[in-house]
Amino acid sequence: MKKYVFMIPSIINMGGAQMYVRNKVVWLRKQGWDVQVISARTGKVIISELVEFNAIFSELDYPIYLFPKKKQNNVIDYIKSILEPQDFEQIVIESTCIGITTWAEAIAKEIGAKHIAYLLQESNVIDNLQLQEYFKFKHKRRELVSITDQSLKMMFETFSPISIEQSYKLPAYCNNVVEDIDSPFLHNTDWEKYDYKVGCLSRIDKPFIMPAVTNFAKFAQSHCDKKFLLFMIGGAPENTPFESNIKKVFRGIKNVELFISGYMFPISAKLLESFDAFFSTAGSCWPCMRSGVPTIAIDGNDFMPTGVMKHTTLHSLFRGDDEPALDYQEVFEDVIIKMKYNKFAPDHEINEPDFSEHMEFMNLSASEQDYFDVTEISPLTISL
């Protein structure tokens, strides 16, 4: 028997990471794997396929080396008892963010598992010298990979530069969130009273949101004779200020009606097709683009527009070397008012993703067992 273990920050709420894990859990089980998901945060689990996973350790939200040895050992022993490694001939652990990779490495060492660090973050900055050595070790063993061919390159740039060929990437399939279903928003919204209907599909706590909505508010004010709907499909964790901060931006702007839906899964294809334009970033750009609606992609580093998906760019997260940062006002003007980019026929992705490429990457990693002693990393070794 073989077991696959995800160690991730959260399965609660709804975002690209949760959808990716859901998709891979479904695929792995079809391939005969026993699957476990271990996370750090409690809350409402929206994706039905993740509801069963209730192994939660709040310590995983912080690197292992920040805890005393006794606490480290207690958590490791508890997770080991959940995994029951003695019952499996092969165990793979996949971690998805910098802090959790340290726990995953320590647990992999304890039970003799393969540990793949698959970083899903849009930006990974490491200024701890020993942590840098750890990731150099994982990269050398080909046990480190990210979501774009720029991500690892940017991560290593300041301490151990690598080539674009060494900046390993794998697709984090998370775009099959759209289904051919009805939506109450289609019937509860008076679509005809707006001149322009603009959507944003994203968690609203992402860092690009405030620059984007602030610029959209400025744009709408320059067209005060037009009525705009800004429909934000997504939510943020409970008891956070993100929704109220967005609402403050539009306070007093009478020609914009703002609607924030909260987390939504699945998403109605008909709802997406109802908009005149979208703006988003990363994986959320793709279902918007596939709806046929012109979709403005926003760079994950500087939060400026990169281009219009499929029309002028295919970079949804980081712009290409030949793609300069664009001006929000000009892009909004071209896409929304001038309608420079026509809608095209919807082509929604409804098939279950295939993760064979992920397994091929793992099979090409170092075959001999070797681990970095992450428990000895000092939190004080900061590079200046």
Side-chain angles (χ1 to χ4, degrees), residues 93 185 261 287:
I93 300 176
F185 298 113
S261 72

Side-chain angles (χ1 to χ4, degrees), residues 41-80:
R41 301 169 198 165
T42 59
K44 184 178 181 181
V45 180
I46 292 176
I47 300 175
S48 59
E49 291 87 350
L50 301 181
V51 171
E52 67 181 271
F53 300 112
N54 55 10
I56 299 168
F57 297 85
S58 60
E59 293 86 354
L60 302 186
D61 253 338
Y62 306 93
I64 192 170
Y65 52 80
L66 296 183
F67 295 91
K69 282 294 195 314
K70 184 176 180 180
K71 170 61 77 172
Q72 294 177 15
N73 292 333
N74 286 343
V75 174
I76 290 172
D77 288 345
Y78 200 168
I79 291 177
K80 182 178 177 181

Side-chain angles (χ1 to χ4, degrees), residues 137-278:
F137 171 84
K138 295 298 286 183
H139 182 262
K140 185 177 180 180
R141 289 178 52 80
R142 216 171 184 273
E143 294 176 335
L144 177 65
V145 62
S146 193
I147 54 177
T148 77
D149 60 5
Q150 294 290 330
S151 298
L152 293 189
K153 191 172 185 296
M154 289 189 290
M155 174 179 166
F156 281 94
E157 199 166 38
T158 59
F159 61 93
S160 182
I162 60 175
S163 67
I164 195 72
E165 292 76 22
Q166 296 170 312
S167 187
Y168 307 128
K169 69 166 184 175
L170 288 171
Y173 296 114
C174 58
N175 304 316
N176 57 325
V177 297
V178 178
E179 291 188 10
D180 185 16
I181 56 174
D182 198 10
S183 168
F185 298 113
L186 287 169
H187 310 291
N188 299 338
T189 304
D190 184 4
W191 297 92
E192 298 304 318
K193 74 176 181 179
Y194 306 104
D195 295 295
Y196 303 105
K197 302 172 285 290
V198 180
C200 174
L201 174 60
S202 175
R203 293 195 336 259
I204 63 172
D205 55 336
K206 283 202 169 189
F208 86 95
I209 287 289
M210 289 307 293
V213 298
T214 301
N215 275 281
F216 182 81
K218 179 181 175 183
F219 162 75
Q221 285 179 301
S222 71
H223 294 280
C224 57
D225 59 326
K226 302 297 182 182
K227 181 73 172 178
F228 295 88
L229 169 66
L230 178 57
F231 195 113
M232 306 194 72
I233 305 172
E238 293 181 3
N239 303 315
T240 58
F242 298 102
E243 183 169 337
S244 61
N245 288 343
I246 294 169
K247 289 179 178 178
K248 286 177 185 176
V249 172
F250 294 96
R251 191 172 295 162
I253 302 178
K254 296 182 179 179
N255 67 323
V256 177
E257 189 165 331
L258 172 69
F259 186 83
I260 301 175
S261 72
Y263 295 112
M264 189 185 298
F265 178 79
I267 300 170
S268 164
K270 295 182 181 68
L271 177 63
L272 294 184
E273 293 162 21
S274 300
F275 293 94
D276 300 308
F278 280 104

